[in-house]
Amino acid sequence: MSEDRPGRPPLIALFEEFRVRRNAAVGIGVGVLVAVTAYLFRVLELWGPAGGTREYPVLGPEGWFLLLAFVLAIAVGLLVTAALTVATAVSRTRSAVAEDGRRN
C-alpha cells in the first residue's frame, strides 16, 4: 500500500470544500417551510375553498395534500441545495483563479 494516500477520499474533501452538508441542511429547512406553508394554505382553505368538487380515494384530501407537500419539500430542498452548492463552487473557483492570478 502506498503511504501517499490522502486522509480522506477526494469526493468527501470536495463536499466539505463546497459546504454541501450545510447547504443540504438549509435546503431541507427551506423545503419543509415552503411545504408546510402550502399545506396549511390548502387544507385550512386560507384562500377560500378550492373550485369544483373531487373525490379523493383512500386517504382523503388531507392525506393526498400531505403527500404532495412531502414531494414539494423534497423538490424545493434539492433545488435550494443545488443552487447554494453551485454558488459556493463558483465563489471558490473565482477566489482560486484570482489568487492564482496574483501569484503569476
Side-chain angles (χ1 to χ4, degrees):
M1 292 206 144
S2 172
E3 295 192 29
D4 294 337
R5 294 184 63 168
R8 294 174 293 190
L11 188 58
I12 292 177
L14 183 68
F15 282 178
E16 288 176 359
E17 181 68 26
F18 290 158
R19 303 171 68 182
V20 174
R21 182 174 292 188
R22 182 192 77 70
N23 295 343
V26 171
I28 289 170
V30 170
V32 167
L33 182 66
V34 167
V36 166
T37 303
Y39 180 78
L40 290 176
F41 264 87
R42 179 63 183 101
V43 170
L44 298 177
E45 296 180 343
L46 296 177
W47 283 332
T53 58
R54 293 184 171 226
E55 291 184 28
Y56 297 94
V58 183
L59 301 175
E62 290 82 11
W64 286 106
F65 292 127
L66 187 62
L67 288 174
L68 287 173
F70 174 75
V71 171
L72 180 64
I74 297 298
V76 170
L78 287 172
L79 182 66
V80 169
T81 300
L84 289 173
T85 303
V86 167
T88 303
V90 168
S91 172
R92 300 284 170 118
T93 303
R94 286 183 180 167
S95 65
V97 167
E99 185 177 308
D100 190 42
R102 281 183 255 156
R103 280 192 227 157
N104 291 332

